[in-house]
Amino acid sequence: MIFETLATTGHEEVVFCHNKDAGLKAIIAIHNTVLGPSLGGLRMWPYKSEQEAIDDVLRLSRGMTYKNAVAGLNLGGGKAVIIGDPARDKSEALFRAFGRFVNSLNGRYITAEDVGIDVNDMEWVFRETSFVTGVHQVHGGSGDPSPFTAFGAMQGLLATLHACYGNEDVGKYRYAVQGAGHVGMEFIKLLREHDAKVYVTDINKELVQRAVDEYGCTAVGLDEIYDTDAEVYSPCALGGTVNEQTLKRLKCKVICGAANNQLANNEIGDEVSRRGIFYAPDYAVNAGGVMNISLEIDGYNRERAMRMMRTIYHNVSRIFEIAKRDGIPTYLAADRLAEERISTIGKLRLPHLGVSAPSFQGRRGS
């Protein structure tokens, strides 16, 4: 059945990684490498079953292909998941064993941090492979990508507000932010800097209390977040929260957040469009993190990263233009934008320019 699934999803390679001594059960999925080596984060999660983990990594890796394509990066899409509880199952051996599997792929997959993973975990992976991003600044890395993801999401929000309301006055509107983790909290901070009204919820009550105490947010229950009077719903946790049950409760005019796979399915995306809700496709909005870490490949530069992330505004605006032009929902417009770039680059047959430039040690000037 796995090959039938891959034929449908278009994946190139799926690697199952196991090390009994380290307690490692991981899956690496490489979706598409037409634009370049696959880049995507490593997620650690206590999946209820192996099938659930497979489904997640296949979905997330495909999303990375589209995210990297829309972001204008010369990178393909990949993703990795470790089956385990990040609160109790982490160890140096676990991540170093994972790093060895990444290294065995010889650069076809470049890893980074995602849900359940932090920069300290990446340090252990980095001991076994150079094909890792998001490492500490002392190694020439960029560190925690969360602030950059949040900054990029703000650029997407500005573009969406402009498309919906004709202005970019963030503080004029109310926001229902679901998820106050690394990215969510940074996004909340940016919203509050504009004096916006923010409702916040999270499964971690301590994070919610921090958002209340430090940023002046209004706490609501996990289920109550869908019933607020917010004009903007911002999913910043796990995906699938815009679904058949929640959509009919949302009063928002805009859906724009940093979570992956926000729409439960394509049918929900169609219904969002029919209701006149301006949905900013997640992988276009949350591309700031991957933009940032991608620069580590050639040598990290923070100023260049910030300039790159401002292109998210243009990308999201372009998606709304395509949706209006072609009369299609924005989730389809985003896919179309990504697929056109992949197809165009895939048809190129560039001349062979030789190996990377030699150092020419000892050469004298003319």
Side-chain angles (χ1 to χ4, degrees), residues 192-251:
R192 291 295 296 140
E193 288 177 356
H194 290 272
D195 293 322
K197 171 73 173 181
V198 178
Y199 300 100
V200 61
T201 193
D202 194 285
I203 57 174
N204 188 326
K205 294 182 180 180
E206 292 181 0
L207 292 176
V208 174
Q209 193 60 48
R210 179 190 166 197
V212 172
D213 294 340
E214 294 187 21
Y215 302 116
C217 299
T218 299
V220 298
L222 289 172
D223 193 55
E224 297 170 6
I225 196 72
Y226 307 108
D227 300 316
T228 68
D229 58 0
E231 289 92 352
V232 181
Y233 172 56
S234 298
C236 292
L238 296 178
T241 61
V242 183
N243 52 54
E244 187 176 352
Q245 289 72 40
T246 62
L247 181 57
K248 56 189 176 185
R249 297 165 58 185
L250 291 172
K251 302 177 181 66

Short mmCIF file of all heavy atoms in Angstrom, two decimals, residues 192-251:
data_model
loop_
_atom_site.label_atom_id
_atom_site.label_comp_id
_atom_site.label_asym_id
_atom_site.label_seq_id
_atom_site.Cartn_x
_atom_site.Cartn_y
_atom_site.Cartn_z
N ARG A 192 0.54 42.64 19.75
CA ARG A 192 0.37 43.55 20.87
C ARG A 192 1.20 44.82 20.70
O ARG A 192 0.84 45.87 21.24
CB ARG A 192 0.73 42.84 22.18
CG ARG A 192 -0.26 41.76 22.57
CD ARG A 192 -1.64 42.35 22.87
NE ARG A 192 -1.56 43.25 24.04
CZ ARG A 192 -2.22 44.40 24.12
NH1 ARG A 192 -3.00 44.82 23.13
NH2 ARG A 192 -2.09 45.14 25.22
N GLU A 193 2.28 44.74 19.96
CA GLU A 193 3.06 45.95 19.67
C GLU A 193 2.25 46.93 18.84
O GLU A 193 2.54 48.14 18.82
CB GLU A 193 4.36 45.58 18.95
CG GLU A 193 5.39 44.92 19.85
CD GLU A 193 6.65 44.49 19.11
OE1 GLU A 193 6.68 44.64 17.87
OE2 GLU A 193 7.58 43.98 19.77
N HIS A 194 1.22 46.42 18.16
CA HIS A 194 0.29 47.27 17.40
C HIS A 194 -0.96 47.61 18.22
O HIS A 194 -1.92 48.16 17.68
CB HIS A 194 -0.13 46.56 16.11
CG HIS A 194 0.96 46.45 15.09
ND1 HIS A 194 1.21 47.44 14.15
CD2 HIS A 194 1.88 45.49 14.86
CE1 HIS A 194 2.21 47.07 13.38
NE2 HIS A 194 2.65 45.89 13.79
N ASP A 195 -0.94 47.23 19.51
CA ASP A 195 -2.08 47.47 20.42
C ASP A 195 -3.34 46.75 19.97
O ASP A 195 -4.47 47.22 20.21
CB ASP A 195 -2.36 48.97 20.56
CG ASP A 195 -1.24 49.71 21.27
OD1 ASP A 195 -0.67 49.13 22.21
OD2 ASP A 195 -0.94 50.86 20.88
N ALA A 196 -3.18 45.60 19.33
CA ALA A 196 -4.33 44.82 18.89
C ALA A 196 -4.94 44.05 20.06
O ALA A 196 -4.24 43.65 21.00
CB ALA A 196 -3.92 43.85 17.79
N LYS A 197 -6.24 43.85 20.00
CA LYS A 197 -6.93 43.00 20.96
C LYS A 197 -6.66 41.55 20.60
O LYS A 197 -6.91 41.12 19.47
CB LYS A 197 -8.43 43.28 20.92
CG LYS A 197 -9.30 42.32 21.71
CD LYS A 197 -9.19 42.54 23.20
CE LYS A 197 -10.19 41.69 23.96
NZ LYS A 197 -10.12 41.88 25.41
N VAL A 198 -6.15 40.76 21.56
CA VAL A 198 -5.76 39.38 21.28
C VAL A 198 -6.40 38.43 22.27
O VAL A 198 -6.22 38.56 23.49
CB VAL A 198 -4.22 39.21 21.33
CG1 VAL A 198 -3.85 37.75 21.08
CG2 VAL A 198 -3.54 40.11 20.29
N TYR A 199 -7.16 37.47 21.74
CA TYR A 199 -7.65 36.34 22.52
C TYR A 199 -6.65 35.20 22.31
O TYR A 199 -6.19 34.96 21.19
CB TYR A 199 -9.03 35.89 22.04
CG TYR A 199 -10.10 36.94 22.12
CD1 TYR A 199 -10.47 37.66 20.98
CD2 TYR A 199 -10.75 37.22 23.31
CE1 TYR A 199 -11.47 38.62 21.03
CE2 TYR A 199 -11.75 38.18 23.38
CZ TYR A 199 -12.10 38.89 22.24
OH TYR A 199 -13.08 39.85 22.30
N VAL A 200 -6.33 34.48 23.37
CA VAL A 200 -5.33 33.42 23.23
C VAL A 200 -5.75 32.16 23.97
O VAL A 200 -6.39 32.22 25.03
CB VAL A 200 -3.95 33.89 23.75
CG1 VAL A 200 -4.02 34.25 25.24
CG2 VAL A 200 -2.87 32.85 23.51
N THR A 201 -5.41 31.01 23.39
CA THR A 201 -5.64 29.72 24.03
C THR A 201 -4.49 28.78 23.69
O THR A 201 -3.81 28.95 22.68
CB THR A 201 -6.99 29.10 23.60
OG1 THR A 201 -7.31 28.02 24.46
CG2 THR A 201 -6.92 28.60 22.17
N ASP A 202 -4.29 27.80 24.57
CA ASP A 202 -3.24 26.81 24.36
C ASP A 202 -3.49 25.67 25.33
O ASP A 202 -4.07 25.88 26.40
CB ASP A 202 -1.85 27.43 24.60
CG ASP A 202 -0.71 26.56 24.08
OD1 ASP A 202 -0.40 25.53 24.73
OD2 ASP A 202 -0.15 26.89 23.03
N ILE A 203 -3.04 24.47 24.96
CA ILE A 203 -3.19 23.34 25.88
C ILE A 203 -2.32 23.52 27.11
O ILE A 203 -2.58 22.94 28.17
CB ILE A 203 -2.85 21.99 25.18
CG1 ILE A 203 -1.43 22.01 24.62
CG2 ILE A 203 -3.85 21.70 24.07
CD1 ILE A 203 -0.98 20.68 24.04
N ASN A 204 -1.27 24.34 26.99
CA ASN A 204 -0.39 24.65 28.11
C ASN A 204 -0.89 25.93 28.80
O ASN A 204 -0.72 27.04 28.28
CB ASN A 204 1.05 24.84 27.61
CG ASN A 204 2.06 24.97 28.74
OD1 ASN A 204 1.75 25.53 29.79
ND2 ASN A 204 3.26 24.48 28.52
N LYS A 205 -1.49 25.77 29.96
CA LYS A 205 -2.07 26.91 30.66
C LYS A 205 -1.02 27.91 31.12
O LYS A 205 -1.31 29.10 31.25
CB LYS A 205 -2.89 26.41 31.86
CG LYS A 205 -4.12 25.60 31.46
CD LYS A 205 -4.92 25.19 32.68
CE LYS A 205 -6.16 24.38 32.28
NZ LYS A 205 -6.96 23.96 33.45
N GLU A 206 0.20 27.45 31.36
CA GLU A 206 1.27 28.36 31.77
C GLU A 206 1.61 29.34 30.64
O GLU A 206 1.90 30.52 30.90
CB GLU A 206 2.51 27.57 32.17
CG GLU A 206 2.33 26.76 33.46
CD GLU A 206 3.59 26.01 33.85
OE1 GLU A 206 4.61 26.14 33.11
OE2 GLU A 206 3.58 25.31 34.87
N LEU A 207 1.60 28.86 29.41
CA LEU A 207 1.87 29.74 28.28
C LEU A 207 0.76 30.77 28.11
O LEU A 207 1.02 31.94 27.80
CB LEU A 207 2.02 28.91 27.00
CG LEU A 207 3.26 28.02 26.91
CD1 LEU A 207 3.22 27.19 25.63
CD2 LEU A 207 4.53 28.85 26.96
N VAL A 208 -0.48 30.34 28.31
CA VAL A 208 -1.61 31.27 28.23
C VAL A 208 -1.46 32.35 29.29
O VAL A 208 -1.65 33.54 29.03
CB VAL A 208 -2.94 30.53 28.40
CG1 VAL A 208 -4.10 31.52 28.47
CG2 VAL A 208 -3.16 29.55 27.25
N GLN A 209 -1.10 31.95 30.50
CA GLN A 209 -0.94 32.91 31.58
C GLN A 209 0.20 33.88 31.28
O GLN A 209 0.10 35.08 31.61
CB GLN A 209 -0.66 32.18 32.91
CG GLN A 209 -0.79 33.08 34.13
CD GLN A 209 -2.17 33.67 34.27
OE1 GLN A 209 -3.18 32.96 34.17
NE2 GLN A 209 -2.24 34.98 34.49
N ARG A 210 1.24 33.39 30.65
CA ARG A 210 2.33 34.29 30.27
C ARG A 210 1.86 35.33 29.26
O ARG A 210 2.21 36.51 29.35
CB ARG A 210 3.49 33.48 29.68
CG ARG A 210 4.66 34.35 29.24
CD ARG A 210 5.70 33.57 28.45
NE ARG A 210 6.62 34.48 27.79
CZ ARG A 210 7.43 34.15 26.80
NH1 ARG A 210 7.44 32.90 26.34
NH2 ARG A 210 8.23 35.04 26.26
N ALA A 211 1.05 34.90 28.29
CA ALA A 211 0.53 35.83 27.29
C ALA A 211 -0.35 36.89 27.95
O ALA A 211 -0.36 38.05 27.54
CB ALA A 211 -0.27 35.06 26.24
N VAL A 212 -1.08 36.48 29.00
CA VAL A 212 -1.92 37.42 29.74
C VAL A 212 -1.07 38.39 30.55
O VAL A 212 -1.26 39.62 30.51
CB VAL A 212 -2.89 36.66 30.67
CG1 VAL A 212 -3.64 37.63 31.58
CG2 VAL A 212 -3.87 35.83 29.85
N ASP A 213 -0.10 37.85 31.29
CA ASP A 213 0.70 38.67 32.20
C ASP A 213 1.67 39.59 31.47
O ASP A 213 1.82 40.76 31.84
CB ASP A 213 1.48 37.76 33.16
CG ASP A 213 0.58 36.98 34.10
OD1 ASP A 213 -0.58 37.39 34.29
OD2 ASP A 213 1.04 35.95 34.64
N GLU A 214 2.36 39.07 30.45
CA GLU A 214 3.40 39.84 29.79
C GLU A 214 2.89 40.71 28.65
O GLU A 214 3.44 41.80 28.40
CB GLU A 214 4.49 38.90 29.26
CG GLU A 214 5.27 38.17 30.33
CD GLU A 214 6.44 37.39 29.76
OE1 GLU A 214 6.88 37.71 28.64
OE2 GLU A 214 6.92 36.46 30.45
N TYR A 215 1.83 40.27 27.98
CA TYR A 215 1.39 40.99 26.78
C TYR A 215 -0.04 41.51 26.86
O TYR A 215 -0.51 42.16 25.91
CB TYR A 215 1.56 40.09 25.55
CG TYR A 215 2.98 39.62 25.37
CD1 TYR A 215 3.32 38.27 25.45
CD2 TYR A 215 4.00 40.53 25.12
CE1 TYR A 215 4.63 37.85 25.29
CE2 TYR A 215 5.31 40.12 24.96
CZ TYR A 215 5.62 38.78 25.04
OH TYR A 215 6.93 38.36 24.89
N GLY A 216 -0.73 41.24 27.95
CA GLY A 216 -2.07 41.80 28.11
C GLY A 216 -3.14 41.16 27.25
O GLY A 216 -4.11 41.82 26.86
N CYS A 217 -2.98 39.89 26.94
CA CYS A 217 -3.97 39.17 26.14
C CYS A 217 -5.16 38.75 27.00
O CYS A 217 -5.10 38.79 28.24
CB CYS A 217 -3.35 37.93 25.50
SG CYS A 217 -1.98 38.28 24.38
N THR A 218 -6.22 38.33 26.36
CA THR A 218 -7.39 37.80 27.04
C THR A 218 -7.42 36.29 26.86
O THR A 218 -7.42 35.79 25.72
CB THR A 218 -8.70 38.40 26.47
OG1 THR A 218 -8.67 39.82 26.67
CG2 THR A 218 -9.91 37.81 27.16
N ALA A 219 -7.40 35.54 27.95
CA ALA A 219 -7.40 34.08 27.89
C ALA A 219 -8.80 33.55 27.64
O ALA A 219 -9.77 34.04 28.21
CB ALA A 219 -6.85 33.51 29.19
N VAL A 220 -8.88 32.54 26.78
CA VAL A 220 -10.15 31.85 26.54
C VAL A 220 -9.87 30.35 26.53
O VAL A 220 -8.73 29.91 26.38
CB VAL A 220 -10.81 32.28 25.21
CG1 VAL A 220 -11.14 33.75 25.22
CG2 VAL A 220 -9.90 31.95 24.02
N GLY A 221 -10.91 29.54 26.66
CA GLY A 221 -10.77 28.10 26.67
C GLY A 221 -10.41 27.54 25.31
O GLY A 221 -10.56 28.21 24.29
N LEU A 222 -9.93 26.29 25.32
CA LEU A 222 -9.52 25.65 24.07
C LEU A 222 -10.63 25.63 23.03
O LEU A 222 -10.39 25.85 21.84
CB LEU A 222 -9.05 24.22 24.36
CG LEU A 222 -7.72 24.08 25.10
CD1 LEU A 222 -7.49 22.62 25.50
CD2 LEU A 222 -6.57 24.57 24.23
N ASP A 223 -11.84 25.37 23.47
CA ASP A 223 -12.96 25.29 22.54
C ASP A 223 -13.61 26.65 22.31
O ASP A 223 -14.25 26.87 21.29
CB ASP A 223 -14.00 24.30 23.06
CG ASP A 223 -15.02 23.93 22.00
OD1 ASP A 223 -14.61 23.49 20.91
OD2 ASP A 223 -16.23 24.12 22.26
N GLU A 224 -13.43 27.57 23.23
CA GLU A 224 -14.07 28.88 23.14
C GLU A 224 -13.42 29.79 22.10
O GLU A 224 -14.01 30.79 21.70
CB GLU A 224 -14.03 29.57 24.50
CG GLU A 224 -14.82 28.85 25.58
CD GLU A 224 -14.54 29.42 26.97
OE1 GLU A 224 -13.84 30.46 27.05
OE2 GLU A 224 -15.01 28.85 27.96
N ILE A 225 -12.21 29.44 21.67
CA ILE A 225 -11.48 30.30 20.74
C ILE A 225 -12.25 30.49 19.43
O ILE A 225 -12.13 31.52 18.76
CB ILE A 225 -10.07 29.73 20.45
CG1 ILE A 225 -9.17 30.78 19.81
CG2 ILE A 225 -10.15 28.47 19.60
CD1 ILE A 225 -8.73 31.88 20.72
N TYR A 226 -13.09 29.52 19.08
CA TYR A 226 -13.84 29.60 17.82
C TYR A 226 -15.08 30.49 17.93
O TYR A 226 -15.70 30.80 16.90
CB TYR A 226 -14.28 28.19 17.38
CG TYR A 226 -13.15 27.20 17.32
CD1 TYR A 226 -13.04 26.18 18.27
CD2 TYR A 226 -12.17 27.28 16.33
CE1 TYR A 226 -12.00 25.27 18.23
CE2 TYR A 226 -11.12 26.37 16.29
CZ TYR A 226 -11.05 25.36 17.24
OH TYR A 226 -10.01 24.47 17.21
N ASP A 227 -15.43 30.89 19.12
CA ASP A 227 -16.66 31.66 19.34
C ASP A 227 -16.40 33.12 19.67
O ASP A 227 -17.33 33.85 20.01
CB ASP A 227 -17.48 31.02 20.47
CG ASP A 227 -17.87 29.59 20.16
OD1 ASP A 227 -18.29 29.32 19.02
OD2 ASP A 227 -17.74 28.73 21.06
N THR A 228 -15.17 33.57 19.60
CA THR A 228 -14.87 34.96 19.91
C THR A 228 -15.37 35.88 18.79
O THR A 228 -15.75 35.41 17.71
CB THR A 228 -13.36 35.18 20.09
OG1 THR A 228 -12.71 35.01 18.82
CG2 THR A 228 -12.79 34.20 21.12
N ASP A 229 -15.34 37.18 19.07
CA ASP A 229 -15.78 38.16 18.07
C ASP A 229 -14.62 38.67 17.22
O ASP A 229 -14.71 39.72 16.59
CB ASP A 229 -16.48 39.33 18.76
CG ASP A 229 -15.59 40.03 19.79
OD1 ASP A 229 -14.43 39.60 19.97
OD2 ASP A 229 -16.05 41.00 20.42
N ALA A 230 -13.53 37.91 17.18
CA ALA A 230 -12.34 38.33 16.45
C ALA A 230 -12.58 38.37 14.94
O ALA A 230 -13.24 37.49 14.38
CB ALA A 230 -11.17 37.40 16.75
N GLU A 231 -12.04 39.41 14.31
CA GLU A 231 -12.10 39.48 12.85
C GLU A 231 -11.08 38.57 12.20
O GLU A 231 -11.24 38.19 11.02
CB GLU A 231 -11.83 40.92 12.38
CG GLU A 231 -12.93 41.91 12.67
CD GLU A 231 -12.72 42.63 14.00
OE1 GLU A 231 -11.80 42.25 14.76
OE2 GLU A 231 -13.48 43.57 14.27
N VAL A 232 -10.02 38.21 12.95
CA VAL A 232 -8.95 37.38 12.40
C VAL A 232 -8.75 36.16 13.28
O VAL A 232 -8.56 36.28 14.50
CB VAL A 232 -7.61 38.17 12.31
CG1 VAL A 232 -6.52 37.28 11.72
CG2 VAL A 232 -7.79 39.43 11.49
N TYR A 233 -8.81 34.99 12.67
CA TYR A 233 -8.48 33.74 13.36
C TYR A 233 -7.08 33.35 12.95
O TYR A 233 -6.78 33.23 11.77
CB TYR A 233 -9.47 32.63 13.00
CG TYR A 233 -9.10 31.26 13.53
CD1 TYR A 233 -8.87 31.06 14.89
CD2 TYR A 233 -8.95 30.18 12.67
CE1 TYR A 233 -8.51 29.82 15.38
CE2 TYR A 233 -8.60 28.93 13.15
CZ TYR A 233 -8.37 28.76 14.51
OH TYR A 233 -8.01 27.52 15.00
N SER A 234 -6.21 33.15 13.96
CA SER A 234 -4.79 32.86 13.70
C SER A 234 -4.39 31.53 14.32
O SER A 234 -3.99 31.47 15.48
CB SER A 234 -3.91 33.98 14.26
OG SER A 234 -4.18 35.22 13.62
N PRO A 235 -4.47 30.44 13.55
CA PRO A 235 -4.00 29.14 14.06
C PRO A 235 -2.48 29.13 14.12
O PRO A 235 -1.82 29.34 13.10
CB PRO A 235 -4.52 28.14 13.02
CG PRO A 235 -5.43 28.91 12.11
CD PRO A 235 -5.00 30.32 12.18
N CYS A 236 -1.93 28.89 15.30
CA CYS A 236 -0.47 28.87 15.46
C CYS A 236 -0.01 27.62 16.20
O CYS A 236 1.06 27.61 16.83
CB CYS A 236 0.00 30.12 16.21
SG CYS A 236 -0.19 31.65 15.27
N ALA A 237 -0.83 26.56 16.15
CA ALA A 237 -0.46 25.29 16.79
C ALA A 237 -0.47 24.20 15.72
O ALA A 237 0.08 24.38 14.65
CB ALA A 237 -1.41 24.99 17.94
N LEU A 238 -1.09 23.08 16.01
CA LEU A 238 -1.18 21.99 15.04
C LEU A 238 -2.27 22.28 14.00
O LEU A 238 -3.09 23.18 14.16
CB LEU A 238 -1.43 20.66 15.76
CG LEU A 238 -0.30 20.21 16.70
CD1 LEU A 238 -0.67 18.91 17.39
CD2 LEU A 238 1.02 20.06 15.95
N GLY A 239 -2.28 21.48 12.94
CA GLY A 239 -3.17 21.76 11.82
C GLY A 239 -4.56 21.19 11.96
O GLY A 239 -4.92 20.56 12.96
N GLY A 240 -5.37 21.42 10.92
CA GLY A 240 -6.71 20.87 10.84
C GLY A 240 -7.75 21.54 11.71
O GLY A 240 -8.85 21.00 11.89
N THR A 241 -7.46 22.72 12.25
CA THR A 241 -8.43 23.34 13.16
C THR A 241 -9.55 24.08 12.44
O THR A 241 -10.55 24.45 13.06
CB THR A 241 -7.72 24.32 14.12
OG1 THR A 241 -7.10 25.37 13.37
CG2 THR A 241 -6.68 23.60 14.95
N VAL A 242 -9.39 24.32 11.14
CA VAL A 242 -10.49 24.85 10.35
C VAL A 242 -11.17 23.67 9.70
O VAL A 242 -10.71 23.13 8.69
CB VAL A 242 -9.99 25.86 9.29
CG1 VAL A 242 -11.17 26.46 8.52
CG2 VAL A 242 -9.17 26.97 9.94
N ASN A 243 -12.25 23.22 10.29
CA ASN A 243 -12.92 22.01 9.84
C ASN A 243 -14.43 22.19 9.86
O ASN A 243 -14.94 23.29 10.13
CB ASN A 243 -12.50 20.81 10.70
CG ASN A 243 -12.68 21.09 12.19
OD1 ASN A 243 -13.77 21.46 12.64
ND2 ASN A 243 -11.62 20.92 12.97
N GLU A 244 -15.13 21.13 9.56
CA GLU A 244 -16.59 21.20 9.44
C GLU A 244 -17.25 21.66 10.74
O GLU A 244 -18.27 22.37 10.71
CB GLU A 244 -17.14 19.84 9.03
CG GLU A 244 -18.63 19.84 8.72
CD GLU A 244 -19.12 18.50 8.23
OE1 GLU A 244 -18.28 17.60 7.97
OE2 GLU A 244 -20.35 18.33 8.08
N GLN A 245 -16.69 21.29 11.87
CA GLN A 245 -17.29 21.65 13.15
C GLN A 245 -16.97 23.09 13.54
O GLN A 245 -17.82 23.79 14.10
CB GLN A 245 -16.80 20.70 14.26
CG GLN A 245 -17.33 19.29 14.18
CD GLN A 245 -16.74 18.49 13.03
OE1 GLN A 245 -15.54 18.60 12.76
NE2 GLN A 245 -17.57 17.72 12.35
N THR A 246 -15.75 23.53 13.28
CA THR A 246 -15.33 24.85 13.74
C THR A 246 -15.69 25.98 12.78
O THR A 246 -15.95 27.11 13.22
CB THR A 246 -13.81 24.89 13.98
OG1 THR A 246 -13.12 24.62 12.74
CG2 THR A 246 -13.42 23.85 15.02
N LEU A 247 -15.71 25.71 11.49
CA LEU A 247 -15.92 26.77 10.51
C LEU A 247 -17.26 27.48 10.71
O LEU A 247 -17.34 28.71 10.61
CB LEU A 247 -15.82 26.21 9.10
CG LEU A 247 -16.00 27.23 7.95
CD1 LEU A 247 -14.99 28.37 8.08
CD2 LEU A 247 -15.86 26.54 6.60
N LYS A 248 -18.29 26.72 11.03
CA LYS A 248 -19.61 27.33 11.20
C LYS A 248 -19.70 28.20 12.45
O LYS A 248 -20.65 28.97 12.60
CB LYS A 248 -20.68 26.26 11.23
CG LYS A 248 -20.50 25.18 12.28
CD LYS A 248 -21.49 24.04 12.08
CE LYS A 248 -21.26 22.91 13.08
NZ LYS A 248 -22.14 21.75 12.81
N ARG A 249 -18.70 28.08 13.33
CA ARG A 249 -18.69 28.87 14.55
C ARG A 249 -17.84 30.14 14.42
O ARG A 249 -18.02 31.09 15.18
CB ARG A 249 -18.17 28.03 15.72
CG ARG A 249 -19.05 26.83 16.04
CD ARG A 249 -18.34 25.82 16.93
NE ARG A 249 -17.90 26.41 18.20
CZ ARG A 249 -17.17 25.75 19.10
NH1 ARG A 249 -16.79 24.50 18.85
NH2 ARG A 249 -16.81 26.34 20.21
N LEU A 250 -16.91 30.13 13.49
CA LEU A 250 -16.02 31.28 13.34
C LEU A 250 -16.76 32.49 12.80
O LEU A 250 -17.53 32.39 11.85
CB LEU A 250 -14.87 30.92 12.40
CG LEU A 250 -13.84 29.91 12.91
CD1 LEU A 250 -12.88 29.52 11.79
CD2 LEU A 250 -13.07 30.49 14.10
N LYS A 251 -16.52 33.64 13.41
CA LYS A 251 -17.12 34.90 12.96
C LYS A 251 -16.12 35.76 12.21
O LYS A 251 -16.42 36.90 11.84
CB LYS A 251 -17.65 35.67 14.18
CG LYS A 251 -18.67 34.91 15.01
CD LYS A 251 -19.08 35.70 16.23
CE LYS A 251 -20.09 34.93 17.09
NZ LYS A 251 -19.48 33.70 17.69
#
